Amino acid sequence: MGSKNSTATKRADALRSIEAIVQAAAECLGQNPEANLSEIARAAGVGRVTLYAHFASRTEVVDAAMSRAIDRGNEVLDTINLTGDPRLALTRYIEAGWHLVDQARALLAAAQRELSAGRILELHAGPAARVEALVARGRAEGAFRTDLPTAWMVNVLHAVMHSAAEEIRAGRLTSDRAAAHITATVLAAFTPPGTPVPETDGADASSPAPKEP
């Protein structure tokens, strides 16, 4: 009985250490993409030996922190209403999705430097599937173009979001303007050729409406 209790206690301690390390990694990398393992261990309140007992490399730590951020982001995206007019649903998704990207800009930069492109795509599978379903519905209802592959359109949306993060980092765009820029760009890219592009007001793209022919 004592051995079982001891094992359970060790397992619980290990889980607490892992959670502390992943949370510290998200916070440290969220402030500085170059944060090293010593800084992360110190922020987690553990020693490097303990950190290495759970994560073999910085890559594994970054992967775990990015996975945690995406899991939490998926919880937020699950609450977004993606029914109704596909263009309005897309706008709502961009508003929510951009805020998540904005909050994780530095962490994403660390992930892009540390993880393979394939792994980043794998981590984003959940958000991608959500957009794929929305794009497929928009195509079926005639709101979105059908001459380009769905996968390409999903990639365009996420590429524009990530580009906005880069523009903010470079000082050429502000966070409060990013969602409107992303929405206008993506709606233009998704609109069927020969169809008027839905209007946005340039500052708040929450209510795009089609132009009258």
Side-chain angles (χ1 to χ4, degrees), residues 77 105 117 145 164 168 175:
L77 294 176
R105 285 202 314 269
R145 64 194 305 156
I168 289 173
S175 293

Side-chain angles (χ1 to χ4, degrees), residues 13 50 60 92 132 137 166 171 209:
D13 288 344
T50 298
E60 289 190 8
R92 290 192 290 271
E132 284 173 7
R137 184 169 70 83
E166 292 296 327

Side-chain angles (χ1 to χ4, degrees), residues 1-12:
M1 182 67 71
S3 177
K4 288 183 178 179
N5 287 339
S6 176
T7 299
T9 299
K10 289 181 180 178
R11 187 177 297 115

Side-chain angles (χ1 to χ4, degrees), residues 50-166:
T50 298
L51 187 150
Y52 278 114
H54 301 298
F55 300 97
S57 65
R58 187 175 185 275
T59 297
E60 289 190 8
V61 173
V62 172
D63 190 300
M66 194 67 197
S67 296
R68 179 178 185 266
I70 289 176
D71 285 345
R72 295 195 169 187
N74 271 322
E75 292 175 2
V76 173
L77 294 176
D78 282 341
T79 68
I80 305 304
N81 176 16
L82 297 182
T83 62
D85 186 329
R87 293 162 297 188
L88 295 176
L90 178 65
T91 299
R92 290 192 290 271
Y93 177 88
I94 290 172
E95 288 281 357
W98 163 249
H99 285 304
L100 295 172
V101 171
D102 189 28
Q103 291 167 7
R105 285 202 314 269
L107 176 56
L108 177 62
Q112 289 173 327
R113 296 173 191 173
E114 200 77 33
L115 307 180
S116 68
R119 177 55 179 159
I120 290 177
L121 283 175
E122 183 181 347
L123 288 171
H124 284 85
R130 187 178 280 100
V131 179
E132 284 173 7
L134 174 57
V135 170
R137 184 169 70 83
R139 287 158 64 101
E141 295 178 12
F144 298 153
R145 64 194 305 156
T146 58
D147 58 326
L148 295 174
T150 297
W152 174 258
M153 295 170 70
V154 172
N155 183 63
V156 166
L157 169 57
H158 289 142
V160 173
M161 282 190 173
H162 293 163
S163 293
E166 292 296 327

